[in-house]
Amino acid sequence: MAANSVLAPFRSGRHDHGHCIEDALKAAETVCRDRGLRLTELRRQVLEMVWTEHRPVRAYDLLDRLRETRGRAAPPTIYRALDFLRDQGLVHRIESLNAYIGCGSPLSQHSGQFLICRECSAVAELDDPAIEKLIKKRANDAGFQVVGQTIEITGLCPQCSGGDESSSPGSENALSEHA
Amino acid sequence: MAANSVLAPFRSGRHDHGHCIEDALKAAETVCRDRGLRLTELRRQVLEMVWTEHRPVRAYDLLDRLRETRGRAAPPTIYRALDFLRDQGLVHRIESLNAYIGCGSPLSQHSGQFLICRECSAVAELDDPAIEKLIKKRANDAGFQVVGQTIEITGLCPQCSGGDESSSPGSENALSEHA
DNA sequence: TCCAACTTGATATGATATAACATACCAAAA
DNA sequence: TTTTGGTATGTTATATCATATCAAGTTGGA
């Protein structure tokens, strides 16, 4: 069960996963405290679940997991938590997958730019300012005032495109198989 | 019912709408003939409906309209037609809206870059090669091999951002109201 | 304490999309 | 002409994703 999906640009091996979950939760606490908002147990738990997966997770999968610890829970519960976390920039929604993923840099507001592997569902968050700027410029040239950018690139991650065979790619099609 | 949503970068006024539907159908015929594929009556009709709307249209709205002329029709009917048209690059899917729109330049293969107005649902298709290239470069730098790009920019079109009040913006929130 | 705002629970439903199987249609081969 | 194979469409059912609505509980301040 090698976690070969990462958030910062694809790294060859694994990383300290527990550490990055912790960081995300800490950042969330900071963000909420600074903004006078409540990181309730539910919200905290959902954020932790998102980060535990560490790849795009679907709302109903989160819901199933929530039920394991919390008994009955209905769709609005998970969507409300996700909406809160999204509003605060703590998670992103991947439109092309109808799925959610933890934000790699929650302290700065941004729309997110994602590289999504077709084979293994690994996702990297780019957040390249040059891309954002160029798009903004071209939009402005057309008289368009930019509010948000959805940038989702599909393709093959380093592991799955063949260069790196060290960590069993392909076999792990995660978005649908984390029963 | 002013059609202030256009496909080529936002134009201030209206355009010859009948003409652009015709063009789209002609292009579709060319494409299909060249590729040995059949532009069946259904596919043609769906493409025409998409272009008639000339803004993002949802599958079930198309389905309703299809039923007006064709009697009973089930979801797969519309989704199959849309899939065909998408495969041939004749329509694009706007992921962030779960909606479909005619492709402005169907003769060249491309992923599409969209400017989507939050107020009036007007959509412009950018297709700027520089943006595509930059994204590809940055992805490659991260070891990622690009297959497809989803680029959807939300914001305000020239009309709705205040500069141009000539053609009644805002009042026409189309995506959900073309009953 | 009491109120107002916020949060969560719970039920129902809306909206989007596909699986699975049957039938129609068309053209080339037997 | 019949058979056959491929493509397209019809049909039913269901999976998947998301929100409206209202009730109940919680929190923190006046």
Side-chain angles (χ1 to χ4, degrees):
Chain A
M1 193 192 162
N4 52 357
S5 69
V6 293
L7 257 195
F10 304 100
R11 297 167 218 171
S12 44
R14 51 196 61 195
H15 61 286
D16 185 344
H17 193 51
H19 190 256
C20 72
I21 297 176
E22 244 180 70
D23 286 354
L25 291 173
K26 243 175 234 158
E29 278 162 18
T30 302
V31 160
C32 289
R33 183 164 13 82
D34 291 356
R35 299 177 189 168
L37 299 171
R38 294 167 54 200
L39 185 65
T40 63
E41 182 49 36
L42 173 67
R43 289 163 178 173
R44 197 191 139 84
Q45 192 180 347
V46 171
L47 182 60
E48 186 173 3
M49 289 191 308
V50 168
W51 272 98
T52 298
E53 215 49 53
H54 214 179
R55 64 178 80 233
V57 207
R58 295 171 300 176
Y60 274 66
D61 288 338
L62 291 171
L63 185 54
D64 288 343
R65 298 248 246 105
L66 200 62
R67 284 170 173 151
E68 290 171 8
T69 62
R70 192 172 264 257
R72 298 198 301 159
T77 299
I78 201 74
Y79 281 107
R80 281 191 290 233
L82 287 171
D83 285 348
F84 174 87
L85 295 170
R86 286 215 284 156
D87 286 347
Q88 303 314 318
L90 299 167
V91 308
H92 290 289
R93 174 178 158 84
I94 310 286
E95 297 289 347
S96 57
L97 298 176
N98 292 337
Y100 303 82
I101 192 164
C103 173
S105 45
L107 298 181
S108 72
Q109 281 299 82
H110 62 282
S111 296
Q113 303 163 352
F114 301 98
L115 306 179
I116 305 165
C117 181
R118 289 195 163 180
E119 288 296 327
C120 70
S121 297
V123 167
E125 188 172 347
L126 266 186
D127 299 339
D128 185 307
I131 293 172
E132 188 174 342
K133 263 182 209 160
L134 179 58
I135 288 175
K136 193 162 188 177
K137 169 144 192 4
R138 293 302 157 92
N140 288 342
D141 290 349
F144 189 89
Q145 186 186 330
V146 173
V147 175
Q149 304 188 357
T150 298
I151 300 173
E152 298 173 8
I153 313 305
T154 61
L156 295 174
C157 74
Q159 281 76 45
C160 295
S161 66
D164 181 330
E165 292 296 330
S166 65
S167 49
S168 71
S171 55
E172 191 174 8
N173 197 329
L175 192 53
S176 43
E177 73 97 75
H178 75 308
Chain B
M1 191 191 163
N4 51 359
S5 69
V6 293
L7 257 195
F10 303 99
R11 296 165 219 171
S12 46
R14 50 195 61 196
H15 61 284
D16 185 344
H17 194 51
H19 190 255
C20 72
I21 297 176
E22 243 179 71
D23 286 353
L25 292 173
K26 242 175 235 158
E29 278 162 17
T30 303
V31 160
C32 289
R33 184 164 12 83
D34 291 356
R35 298 176 190 169
L37 300 171
R38 294 168 54 200
L39 185 65
T40 63
E41 183 48 35
L42 173 66
R43 291 164 177 172
R44 198 191 137 83
Q45 193 180 345
V46 171
L47 181 61
E48 187 174 2
M49 289 192 307
V50 168
W51 273 99
T52 298
E53 215 49 52
H54 212 180
R55 64 178 80 234
V57 207
R58 295 171 302 176
Y60 275 67
D61 288 338
L62 292 170
L63 185 54
D64 288 343
R65 298 248 246 105
L66 200 62
R67 283 169 173 153
E68 290 171 7
T69 62
R70 192 171 265 255
R72 298 197 301 160
T77 299
I78 202 74
Y79 280 106
R80 281 191 288 232
L82 287 171
D83 285 347
F84 174 87
L85 296 170
R86 286 215 284 155
D87 286 346
Q88 302 314 317
L90 298 167
V91 308
H92 291 290
R93 174 178 158 83
I94 310 285
E95 299 288 347
S96 57
L97 298 176
N98 292 335
Y100 304 82
I101 193 164
C103 173
S105 45
L107 298 181
S108 73
Q109 282 300 82
H110 60 284
S111 296
Q113 304 163 350
F114 302 96
L115 306 179
I116 305 165
C117 181
R118 288 195 165 182
E119 288 296 326
C120 71
S121 295
V123 168
E125 188 172 347
L126 266 185
D127 299 339
D128 185 306
I131 294 172
E132 188 175 341
K133 262 182 209 158
L134 179 58
I135 287 175
K136 193 162 187 177
K137 168 144 193 4
R138 293 302 157 93
N140 288 342
D141 290 348
F144 189 88
Q145 186 185 331
V146 174
V147 175
Q149 304 188 355
T150 297
I151 300 173
E152 299 173 8
I153 312 304
T154 60
L156 295 174
C157 74
Q159 281 77 44
C160 295
S161 65
D164 181 329
E165 293 294 330
S166 66
S167 48
S168 73
S171 56
E172 191 174 11
N173 196 327
L175 192 53
S176 43
E177 69 108 65
H178 77 308

